[in-house]
Amino acid sequence: MTYDRNNIFAKILRGEIPCKKIYENEYVLSFHDINPQKKIHALVIPKGSFKDLDDFVQNAKDKEILEFFKAIPHVAKLLKVSSVEGGYRALSNIGENGGQEVPHLHFHIFGGEKVGKMVS
Ligand code: AMP
């Protein structure tokens, strides 16, 4: 499957629909999930057009990969859920069996309370 330019996160990146922004740099955007599953539920997405983690690691530049993975703990710190502030869970759903709904790579950051069972 090729990248779908009309997915909701692509529209957010193009500024066509709004988001509650937490952090942005040249490589990434982070914003609050519209339907939070925990007290804190943020998303971190790369600015490049990658549909999932597999696509990203195969096709992104090393700098994009580095900046993306650095952004996750950076956002956790901004949200005060870092490992020394209670901790958090970062996860990415990949493909149909992984439960991915939006076909643009994203990591969820859950925190602010016990996140609970890893898989249900
Ligand atoms: P996933 O199932 O891993 O693809 O997760 C997609 C996430 O995107 C869900 O947690 C949705 O609540 C979230 N989401 C969908 N539309 C928006 C939006 N416009 N702004 C913020 N989060 C969204």
Side-chain angles (χ1 to χ4, degrees), residues 20-32:
K20 279 173 66 185
K21 192 192 294 185
I22 299 164
Y23 176 70
E24 180 173 20
N25 69 19
E26 190 184 338
Y27 298 95
V28 304
L29 176 66
S30 175
F31 47 94
H32 292 282

Side-chain angles (χ1 to χ4, degrees), residues 5-6 8 24 27-28 30 35 42 46 52 55-56 63-64 70 73 76-77 79 83-85 93 96 108 110 113 119:
R5 289 192 74 255
N6 286 320
I8 199 111
E24 180 173 20
Y27 298 95
V28 304
S30 175
N35 182 23
D52 57 28
D55 181 22
F56 187 59
K63 178 75 172 161
E64 290 177 291
K70 276 169 61 179
K77 244 186 186 166
L79 294 170
S83 57
V84 294
E85 295 166 297
N93 296 319
E96 196 183 338
H108 298 255
F110 299 106
E113 61 184 320
V119 178

Side-chain angles (χ1 to χ4, degrees), residues 3-23:
Y3 181 79
D4 169 15
R5 289 192 74 255
N6 286 320
N7 77 74
I8 199 111
F9 294 168
K11 290 181 181 172
I12 287 174
L13 283 169
R14 289 196 295 270
E16 293 167 10
I17 60 169
C19 70
K20 279 173 66 185
K21 192 192 294 185
I22 299 164
Y23 176 70

Side-chain angles (χ1 to χ4, degrees), residues 8-9 12 17-20 31-37 41-43 91-95 98-108 110:
I8 199 111
F9 294 168
I12 287 174
I17 60 169
C19 70
K20 279 173 66 185
F31 47 94
H32 292 282
D33 196 289
I34 204 166
N35 182 23
Q37 304 296 311
H41 184 175
L43 299 167
L91 78 79
S92 187
N93 296 319
I94 298 150
Q100 182 176 5
E101 286 170 8
V102 179
H104 181 111
L105 171 63
H106 51 283
F107 266 72
H108 298 255
F110 299 106

